[in-house]
Amino acid sequence: MDLGSGYKRRMPAIRLFGLPTDINSSFERGAAAGPGAIRAALWSDRGNMASELGPEIGTDIALTDDGDLALTEDTVQDDAAIRRHIAYVREDGEIPLALGGDHAVTFPLVEAAATCHGPVTILHFDAHPDLYDDFSGNPRSHASPFARICEAGHAKRLVQVGIRTLNAHCREQAVRFGVEIVPMADFTPDMVPVLEGPLYISIDLDGLDPSAAPGVAHPEPGGLTVREMLAVLHKQTAPIVGADIVELHPGRDIGDVTAILGAKLVRELAALIDRNGPYQP
């Protein structure tokens, strides 16, 4: 769906697309259905296209929904398909906004961003650091994407927010890669720095408290409120070169509340991308 016809300003359009794969999930599958659930909530008459920043998708913000990529559950082939799609989006001068799928998809998304812009700054919301060297023998597990990103040199800075499951191995990995983890204990949005660009934002929905986002495979009590996440997002002023929202498990959702939250985050990310403007190296 192309909602760019009424676009008022000459800013890069946003390209929404789904990555319906959960082949690298470590506990149970279900996140492959996430893009469809978020998309259904986004286009539902239940809500409108306004963001809390003010601009509306389709009136002030140009957004095209490319639908879901035809992924195969072959990780090597799917990574290549994702990189090709990002190259296509960037060739048009537009900004990719991906819907997962499990968190393993963030590796090729960031890899493609770094290929275009050089190493990126990453703002990562999650209950888990996803820094395992490999998890259960799978180095491409959804528990490992940020280890792969860091060891490949794609991140010049990685700031993680919402982490509350840090074990000894991931603590060692964080030190190894120089990851900045903002602790959840006594958390306030002021604890998160305002980051420099090019900025990539990755939102695992289990970074939020399960009371706000029950539809995830790995719920972890004591997480962020929606208001805290929005406060962290809205304070960011750097140009955004890509973003993803991952790990919605519709089979575990209650009344579609997590899908509705995912749709809200699409609107807020789109408005933030639009407000912050294009990256100029």
Side-chain angles (χ1 to χ4, degrees):
M1 181 179 296
D2 187 341
L3 290 180
S5 59
Y7 195 42
K8 294 178 179 176
R9 290 179 291 153
R10 295 184 60 83
M11 295 290 292
I14 295 159
R15 293 282 287 278
L16 185 72
F17 58 95
L19 302 174
T21 178
D22 50 23
I23 190 66
N24 288 301
S25 294
S26 63
F27 177 64
E28 67 179 15
R29 301 183 66 170
I38 293 174
R39 187 178 286 109
L42 180 65
W43 305 129
S44 170
D45 289 339
R46 176 186 285 114
N48 62 31
M49 292 294 108
S51 71
E52 292 195 10
L53 291 175
E56 301 177 30
I57 290 174
T59 301
D60 311 294
I61 303 168
L63 183 144
T64 298
D65 186 350
D66 291 338
D68 292 346
L69 300 195
L71 302 183
T72 65
E73 296 201 339
D74 179 306
T75 299
V76 173
Q77 291 184 15
D78 288 348
D79 284 356
I82 293 167
R83 290 194 299 266
R84 282 195 302 272
H85 189 72
I86 297 297
Y88 171 66
V89 169
R90 294 190 186 284
E91 194 172 89
D92 290 341
E94 299 177 340
I95 307 298
L97 174 50
L99 305 177
D102 68 38
H103 217 157
V105 301
T106 298
F107 173 66
L109 290 168
V110 171
E111 183 178 42
T115 298
C116 182
H117 299 288
V120 296
T121 301
I122 303 173
L123 176 59
H124 169 209
F125 297 90
D126 207 321
H128 316 89
D130 292 353
L131 287 168
Y132 284 92
D133 192 49
D134 68 60
F135 193 85
S136 298
N138 178 13
R140 282 303 318 282
S141 168
H142 71 161
S144 301
F146 291 96
R148 303 288 80 80
I149 287 166
C150 288
E151 69 188 10
H154 298 325
K156 64 179 179 180
R157 186 178 184 185
L158 171 56
V159 176
Q160 298 185 325
V161 181
I163 309 301
R164 50 198 187 277
T165 58
L166 196 63
N167 62 17
H169 172 69
C170 287
R171 191 175 293 110
E172 291 169 359
Q173 290 283 86
V175 172
R176 173 189 173 193
F177 293 124
V179 180
E180 300 168 52
I181 298 176
V182 180
M184 273 307 298
D186 303 316
F187 177 83
T188 68
D190 290 341
M191 297 167 67
V192 182
V194 175
L195 300 169
E196 295 182 355
L199 179 61
Y200 187 95
I201 298 175
S202 182
I203 300 177
D204 185 325
L205 289 166
D206 69 27
L208 291 146
D209 192 78
S211 60
V216 295
H218 299 267
E220 182 67 30
L224 296 162
T225 66
V226 175
R227 189 52 50 198
E228 287 170 336
M229 180 177 283
L230 292 178
V232 173
L233 287 172
H234 290 163
K235 71 187 286 188
Q236 301 304 321
T237 57
I240 297 164
V241 296
D244 62 62
I245 302 167
V246 299
E247 295 287 354
L248 171 62
H249 186 324
R252 289 188 167 271
D253 209 357
I254 299 171
D256 297 329
V257 296
T258 316
I260 293 167
L261 171 59
K264 181 178 181 68
L265 291 171
V266 168
R267 296 193 300 271
E268 296 307 316
L269 284 171
L272 192 64
I273 291 167
D274 183 75
R275 186 195 73 183
N276 290 8
Y279 176 65
Q280 302 291 344

